[in-house]
Amino acid sequence: MASRFLLTFAICRLIVTVGLTLNPTELLRLGVDGQLTVDPFHVEAASRDFGGLHRVEPLAVLRPASANDVARLVRAAYESAEGFTVSARGHGHSINGQSQTSNGVVIDMSGGGCSGGMRRLKPAGPRVSEKGRYVDAWGGELWIDVLRRTLEHGLAPLSWTDYLYLSVGGTLSNAGISGKGELLTCSEEQNAELFHAVLGGLGQFGIITRARIALEPAPKMVRWIRVLYSNFSDFTHDQEYLISLHGKPASKKFDYVEGSVIVDEGLVNNWRSSFFSPSNPVKISSLGAANGGVLYCLEITRNYDESSAGSLDQSLMGKLNFIPASVFTTDVPYVDFLDRVHTAELKLRSKGLWEVPHPWLNLFVPKSRIADFDRGVFKGVLGKKTSGPILIYPMNKNK
């Protein structure tokens, strides 16, 4: 999908600031078309992120009216004699303070809400081209809003993040920070080196202000399947087999493959397993998990329309080595599946369990060592000492 992106962003150079003496009120004279504020309410909101591990207070917050505002601020930082830092914030879903900055300005790309006397402000919403099968979206646009707009045309993006209340730019770059202040457009053909650098570049190459996202006809329904394993080798073998089917006809592969590790019986029925029946909870002991009380969950889906529900190829399931008694299947509307994590979020918010610290660690583990990782970490270090999700799935190295 990356080859179909067209990214417009403010090119950035990392600026290290020592002994900043800039007066915050001087920032208000930049002459941006959006809103630049030093109001304590908005400064406090930009001081926190989803991770909840750090509080870093910026000098000011900018809600840009256009990409030119972003470039103007970054250019001012680059040319400033004193220097100041700049960080882009989408939905503030960073874990370790990536969307925060001290002694500088946070760019609120999402436009925020109307609270605190500061009106909602951001560029025009997503623009869909039915003929070109793409949508142009502002970098601060949330994926849920992109989905709603494209569905009006019977279309949807080709691939998704698990959580739709993230910004487009934040997802593509994993947060943004500082630079020279040039506006450039890039694709695989135009400024190609920069295009590939900015995707997943942790914001070190630019603040993404707009992205062109490829679309496809939106499915109506999703068959959502979860199966359990007690044998780690069978689990990873089946995952690797399923992702090897990429490029096969739609009827010969699944549309979504993910996995998780269950090291505590309570986690089988946790927030990521919400379609298991509360009245009939899954018991690890009943599934023969003799390997230190650890189970592995494979999650797969197939998209379909009502008219094609009966034509789903069942032979793929016959090639997998899961515990036979552990098949859990549900059919849900396409949008409900995509928005499943938000549904879980609402449940956690109702219990006061959302606004808490969220430590998170991502690791790439070589295939040659993943069995050692299972023995040493899943069955060793962790024991039954974790209550959060542990996701595990293979990736094709050519991706």
Side-chain angles (χ1 to χ4, degrees):
M1 180 178 174
S3 63
R4 302 289 297 277
F5 280 113
L6 181 67
L7 304 176
T8 308
F9 56 90
I11 274 198
C12 299
R13 181 171 70 89
L14 188 63
I15 300 172
V16 179
T17 305
V18 179
L20 180 68
T21 59
L22 181 69
N23 185 333
T25 58
E26 294 178 15
L27 293 170
L28 302 179
R29 295 198 289 269
L30 281 178
V32 294
D33 296 322
Q35 296 171 317
L36 187 62
T37 180
V38 293
D39 182 271
F41 178 89
H42 301 289
V43 169
E44 174 59 28
S47 299
R48 295 174 275 107
D49 68 359
F50 178 74
L53 304 177
H54 308 279
R55 183 188 176 279
V56 181
E57 187 172 303
L59 294 174
V61 177
L62 170 67
R63 288 185 178 173
S66 67
N68 287 327
D69 277 354
V70 177
R72 190 174 290 122
L73 177 67
V74 171
R75 191 179 306 118
Y78 180 70
E79 296 174 352
S80 170
E82 294 88 358
F84 60 91
T85 56
V86 176
S87 181
R89 174 188 178 95
H91 197 49
H93 210 264
S94 63
I95 300 298
N96 289 301
Q98 295 95 326
S99 64
Q100 300 164 303
T101 185
S102 61
N103 297 327
V105 181
V106 168
I107 303 177
D108 181 2
M109 296 293 290
S110 70
C114 303
S115 58
M118 195 174 181
R119 73 182 186 280
R120 180 176 175 84
L121 179 70
K122 67 178 180 181
R127 298 191 298 269
V128 177
S129 170
E130 292 187 18
K131 182 178 180 180
R133 290 279 181 90
Y134 64 78
V135 56
D136 281 336
W138 171 246
E141 202 74 57
L142 299 185
W143 285 105
I144 184 65
D145 295 323
V146 173
L147 175 61
R148 287 167 178 160
R149 181 62 59 87
T150 60
L151 286 176
E152 294 173 2
H153 302 265
L155 300 171
L158 287 169
S159 63
W160 290 99
T161 179
D162 276 353
Y163 183 52
L164 302 187
Y165 287 76
L166 303 175
S167 68
V168 170
T171 302
L172 298 180
S173 67
N174 291 290
I177 186 171
S178 50
K180 282 187 177 179
E182 299 176 42
L183 277 177
L184 290 178
T185 298
C186 66
S187 67
E188 270 201 326
E189 292 75 33
Q190 182 180 359
N191 295 314
E193 185 176 10
L194 202 52
F195 171 81
H196 289 293
V198 78
L199 288 174
L202 298 175
Q204 299 304 301
F205 300 92
I207 297 173
I208 297 174
T209 58
R210 187 162 293 277
R212 176 165 292 182
I213 303 161
L215 303 176
E216 65 179 351
K220 300 295 184 184
M221 298 291 294
V222 171
R223 180 153 296 169
W224 188 3
I225 304 168
R226 283 182 179 163
V227 294
L228 299 176
Y229 294 74
S230 58
N231 184 290
F232 185 70
S233 178
D234 287 344
F235 170 68
T236 55
H237 176 272
D238 284 357
Q239 282 192 315
E240 292 164 9
Y241 164 69
L242 290 173
I243 68 167
S244 75
L245 301 177
H246 180 75
K248 298 288 185 181
S251 62
K252 302 296 182 182
K253 63 182 180 182
F254 287 103
D255 295 292
Y256 169 86
V257 177
E258 190 172 79
S260 57
V261 182
I262 303 166
V263 299
D264 186 297
E265 189 160 288
L267 296 183
V268 184
N269 308 287
N270 75 352
W271 66 276
R272 288 191 64 89
S273 307
S274 55
F275 72 68
F276 295 155
S277 172
S279 61
N280 185 27
V282 178
K283 299 290 186 181
I284 287 181
S285 57
S286 68
L287 295 170
N291 296 327
V294 176
L295 285 175
Y296 311 94
C297 178
L298 175 64
E299 188 172 354
I300 46 183
T301 71
R302 282 291 308 276
N303 301 336
Y304 68 93
D305 296 321
E306 290 91 337
S307 60
S308 61
S311 63
L312 295 180
D313 191 339
Q314 299 299 318
S315 63
L316 283 175
M317 294 295 292
K319 297 178 181 179
L320 305 180
N321 297 300
F322 52 85
I323 300 171
S326 72
V327 181
F328 303 88
T329 302
T330 186
D331 290 86
V332 297
Y334 179 63
V335 175
D336 289 2
F337 173 73
L338 293 182
D339 206 27
R340 64 199 179 282
V341 177
H342 181 58
T343 300
E345 173 192 345
L346 295 177
K347 293 179 182 178
L348 290 174
R349 284 188 182 277
S350 69
K351 299 176 181 178
L353 297 176
W354 189 255
E355 300 294 339
V356 296
H358 296 98
W360 188 269
L361 176 66
N362 291 320
L363 294 173
F364 285 103
V365 180
K367 177 181 177 179
S368 62
R369 300 302 303 277
I370 192 63
D372 295 333
F373 197 88
D374 172 55
R375 287 188 292 270
V377 179
F378 301 149
K379 298 189 180 84
V381 174
L382 292 180
K384 295 187 177 181
K385 302 181 181 69
T386 180
S387 59
I390 307 170
L391 307 183
I392 176 172
Y393 40 86
M395 298 184 71
N396 288 310
K397 286 193 289 186
N398 63 356
K399 294 294 183 181

